[in-house]
Amino acid sequence: MSTTAGPAPARRRRSPLGRAPAPRTLRGRATLAFTAITLVLSTALALTVWGAVSQYLLLQRERATLAQASANAAQLQRGASAAGLTLPQLLAQLPRQTGSTSLYVDSGEWTTTSLLVGRDDLPRGLRDTVVEGTPARQRITVQGQTVLAVGIPLAGLDDAYFEVFPLDELDRTYRVLGTVLLLAVLASVPVALVVGWWSTRPTLRPLERISTVAGAIAGGDLGARLDPQGDPSLAPLAASFNQTAAALEDRVRSDARFAADVSHELRTPLTAMLGAMSLVEEHVDRLPPDGQEGLALLRAEVQGFERLVADLLEISRSDAGSTDVALEDVRVADLLGAVLARRALAGRPPVPVDAPSDAGQLVVRADKRRLERVLGNLMDNADTHGQGLRAVVLERAADGRTVRLSVDDAGPGVPVEERGRVFERFARGAGSTRTQTPGAGLGLALVARHVLAMHGTVTVGDSPHGGARFTVDLPLGGTP
Amino acid sequence: MRPMGRLTDVSRSVLVIEDDPRIRRIVQLTLEREGLQVTEAESGEAGLARLAEQDFDVILLDLMLPGQDGFEVCRAIRRTSNTPVIMVTARSDSHDVVAGLEAGADDYVSKPFVPKELSARIRALARRTRVPEPRREVLVGDLVLTPADGTVTRDGDLLDLTRTEFKLLCELAAEPGRVLSREELLERVWGYDYFGDSRLVDVHVRRLRKKVERDPSSPAVVLTVRGMGYRVPA
């Protein structure tokens, strides 16, 4: 379990279960709206087409049936007066559309061309109306089928001709038409999505550019500006955006410059103090015991102060965007050896180093000065916060592309909830106090910055010895 | 290498060009305790005047001076003298350091420095070049090095090298064909440990090439070995 330093990853928005996630981007929403409008319009169009076409088809059909029924009625009239044919023969000879049935009634006597359709299938109202001398038609259901019954009164008393036309063909036409329209409406959805997504791109490109530029500024490129690129509608927005960005840049730079100026102004008096102190230290033997103790206190304070000023300057320089990273191939074992030699010179106890047998060949891509500060700060941190340095481990990482340096201390470790914070500036462990750890508040923040500048990562976790383990991963160097 | 205790180097002289009287005084007291002779100058103009009167072993030059600034003073010194110059910078910005080295400085210390660091730097630069004992002259390509005199000639013509440039060339020439890493050169020429600023080496090599190479853009004397260091041909 470990925590990585650096900017926290953007929190992923999660929609509650059971609800469709709303599109997160403006472009997504615009595309969705475009699709919805397209869907409504195409549905309305389909319904209109459906209404008009079905109306027209029905009208056509009714006209055709009426014309045929009238013609057949007239022929029947003529045929009835001419002798020679029986009535059923006469009915059967009438030209008819497929499936239509003719019925003839004379004084309550019904004759039909189909056994399936008889007198009782025609509604009483229709029968009476026609027999009484008025032509009529009606849509009725016979044996589960929709049919159109047309009745024509004939010349004789109580004579009438009925013809029943099936409408199932028309129904089939309706079904085909409906299916085609529905499919067209459904097909318009993906088309609208694609067209909407594609057509909103140029419209929203200015927004995309704004978000790119804003992202660049947030990422530390304070000089990023929005170029209106000849788009007059974007020009006022670009102007005010750029003004804001410039104000922000000024502010950040002047803050950083102020910090740099302050620490710079402190350097000359610090130099004088360090010089004066070392002159006094030459005579430390001649000082009384309380004077010697006072001098020791002064030395510790001045050295802590010097360190703090150096750290402040370094961190404000990296805030101001001055990044002079000199990456080169560094034999990491040599560098580690030199760091440990410096520690030994400063009177610190030796520490076991765990390294593979071919450690001398391990080369990382790093900035020597920064890597020295990283290791030095981590070891100092182990001394001041971790009750002493316990071990240093140098190894090739499992992925084969990085080298891993681990610094273990003998302290209580870093609680999980504090691991994200230890790399912030002036973050101190809950147990430490100001006087115990002078100037320690910037050490790990600088570690994080230096490692980031060298394209590496630094994490804190548990050491197998029980304390905290700070782990630095750096990319392998190019030439061994 | 000859040990250089306080008693052995009796007559090392240092010119301190520094406008802040407190720093000047502290530096003077510190260096005099180390047995160095210190001459003070409160401005670049005054420093150049002292230099005209007397030779020094090392010049300590503050970069932030009123009037003529440190870079100009450094260039002016280089026009007349090969004396090692250590610049004192209060800004550790990268371009300040490189600009100072380009102006002809041999080394630098950043404020705040501790006095021991300063005297270590002075000693390292004031040290005479090692003489490879049996030989009086060393040949590198068409160059003739005479360590005892500190001179380099090509076809009998004297080349004008600073002392540090000469030391650098001698260290490379002492082991022809062998690659010396930046760290090794920093230690041998400037007396630094592993963490010396490798820009010192790179800038000095650049300066050296301008003087000793017939075509500095395709060097034939001081060769770069990528990722490793520098060498002279065997």
Side-chain angles (χ1 to χ4, degrees), chain A residues 32-67:
Chain A
L32 214 63
F34 181 84
T35 308
I37 291 171
T38 307
L39 188 62
V40 168
L41 284 178
S42 61
T43 307
L45 188 66
L47 289 176
T48 310
V49 167
W50 168 263
V53 170
S54 61
Q55 194 71 32
Y56 175 74
L57 285 177
L58 188 62
L59 209 66
Q60 286 290 91
R61 183 86 173 129
E62 281 178 354
R63 270 192 203 145
T65 54
L66 195 62

Side-chain angles (χ1 to χ4, degrees), chain B residues 136-153:
Chain B
R136 233 184 61 77
E137 286 185 340
V138 183
L139 301 180
V140 180
D142 52 358
L143 301 174
V144 182
L145 278 67
T146 316
D149 306 338
T151 56
V152 184
T153 55

Side-chain angles (χ1 to χ4, degrees), chain A residues 290-412:
Chain A
D290 54 350
Q292 288 183 10
E293 199 183 333
L295 183 63
L297 282 173
L298 186 65
R299 186 198 303 120
E301 284 306 310
V302 171
Q303 282 170 350
F305 192 38
E306 182 202 356
R307 184 85 187 187
L308 181 63
V309 168
D311 285 354
L312 256 180
L313 191 77
E314 192 137 3
I315 215 155
S316 63
R317 275 227 311 270
S318 83
D319 279 351
S322 147
T323 47
D324 47 327
V325 190
L327 290 181
E328 57 183 328
D329 285 343
V330 176
R331 285 178 193 276
V332 63
D334 290 357
L335 188 137
L336 180 60
V339 170
L340 292 171
R342 275 199 174 178
R343 268 178 72 81
L345 273 179
R348 302 279 172 77
V351 63
V353 175
D354 181 4
S357 52
D358 65 339
Q361 301 304 311
L362 281 183
V363 175
V364 291
R365 197 80 192 141
D367 179 322
K368 238 166 57 177
R369 186 188 66 85
R370 288 175 191 260
L371 186 51
E372 186 253 336
R373 288 300 298 272
V374 165
L375 291 176
N377 282 4
L378 287 180
M379 290 177 189
D380 287 352
N381 180 68
D383 288 334
T384 48
H385 293 284
Q387 297 169 16
L389 187 57
R390 178 72 188 267
V392 177
V393 184
L394 169 61
E395 60 197 327
R396 213 178 252 109
D399 65 4
R401 287 197 300 271
T402 51
V403 169
R404 169 165 293 186
L405 278 157
S406 304
V407 176
D408 293 347
D409 66 37

Side-chain angles (χ1 to χ4, degrees), chain A residues 440-453:
Chain A
L442 286 171
L444 290 179
L446 272 171
V447 166
R449 275 163 191 257
H450 286 324
V451 172
L452 199 67

Side-chain angles (χ1 to χ4, degrees), chain A residues 115-461:
Chain A
L115 293 172
L116 296 173
V117 185
R119 168 186 175 266
D120 296 335
D121 293 312
L122 300 176
R124 182 185 244 309
L126 179 69
R127 288 190 330 241
D128 292 350
T129 312
V130 175
V131 171
E132 278 163 20
T134 312
R137 63 181 172 208
Q138 192 178 353
R139 281 175 80 152
I140 54 173
T141 305
V142 176
Q143 319 244 324
Q145 280 201 330
T146 311
V147 296
L148 183 68
V150 180
I152 310 285
L154 296 179
L157 192 66
D158 294 338
D159 270 13
Y161 174 74
F162 291 88
E163 194 163 344
V164 175
F165 299 92
L167 290 180
D168 53 349
E169 200 184 329
L170 194 60
D171 278 349
R172 267 203 304 280
T173 311
Y174 284 166
R175 272 202 299 278
V176 170
L177 177 67
T179 310
V180 167
L181 286 175
L182 185 66
L183 285 178
V185 168
L186 290 179
S188 74
V189 171
V191 172
L193 278 172
V194 169
V195 172
W197 185 251
W198 178 76
S199 65
T200 48
R201 210 167 87 101
T203 321
L204 295 176
R205 192 171 294 148
L207 275 180
E208 254 170 49
R209 289 222 318 273
I210 292 176
S211 88
T212 308
V213 173
I217 291 176
D221 177 10
L222 294 171
R225 292 292 181 272
L226 194 59
D227 176 10
Q229 288 181 349
D231 185 343
S233 61
L234 190 56
L237 177 62
S240 63
F241 181 92
N242 288 343
Q243 209 175 347
T244 310
L248 179 70
E249 185 183 13
D250 280 355
R251 178 67 187 273
V252 169
R253 294 233 191 277
S254 75
D255 279 0
R257 213 167 27 237
F258 175 73
D261 286 348
V262 166
S263 43
H264 171 236
E265 287 304 315
L266 289 173
R267 289 171 152 219
T268 301
L270 251 178
T271 307
M273 281 157 78
L274 285 165
M277 204 179 62
S278 74
L279 285 172
V280 178
E281 278 181 329
E282 299 274 337
H283 306 286
V284 68
D285 297 342
R286 278 186 271 161
L287 287 174
D290 54 350
Q292 288 183 10
E293 199 183 333
L295 183 63
L297 282 173
L298 186 65
R299 186 198 303 120
E301 284 306 310
V302 171
Q303 282 170 350
F305 192 38
E306 182 202 356
R307 184 85 187 187
L308 181 63
V309 168
D311 285 354
L312 256 180
L313 191 77
E314 192 137 3
I315 215 155
S316 63
R317 275 227 311 270
S318 83
D319 279 351
S322 147
T323 47
D324 47 327
V325 190
L327 290 181
E328 57 183 328
D329 285 343
V330 176
R331 285 178 193 276
V332 63
D334 290 357
L335 188 137
L336 180 60
V339 170
L340 292 171
R342 275 199 174 178
R343 268 178 72 81
L345 273 179
R348 302 279 172 77
V351 63
V353 175
D354 181 4
S357 52
D358 65 339
Q361 301 304 311
L362 281 183
V363 175
V364 291
R365 197 80 192 141
D367 179 322
K368 238 166 57 177
R369 186 188 66 85
R370 288 175 191 260
L371 186 51
E372 186 253 336
R373 288 300 298 272
V374 165
L375 291 176
N377 282 4
L378 287 180
M379 290 177 189
D380 287 352
N381 180 68
D383 288 334
T384 48
H385 293 284
Q387 297 169 16
L389 187 57
R390 178 72 188 267
V392 177
V393 184
L394 169 61
E395 60 197 327
R396 213 178 252 109
D399 65 4
R401 287 197 300 271
T402 51
V403 169
R404 169 165 293 186
L405 278 157
S406 304
V407 176
D408 293 347
D409 66 37
V414 180
V416 174
E417 63 273 15
E418 277 183 33
R419 287 178 185 172
R421 284 189 52 244
V422 293
F423 295 102
E424 292 169 12
R425 12 176 133 173
F426 296 113
R428 290 163 195 276
S432 70
T433 62
R434 180 162 283 271
T435 47
Q436 282 170 336
T437 56
L442 286 171
L444 290 179
L446 272 171
V447 166
R449 275 163 191 257
H450 286 324
V451 172
L452 199 67
M454 295 187 290
H455 313 299
T457 57
V458 58
T459 59
V460 58

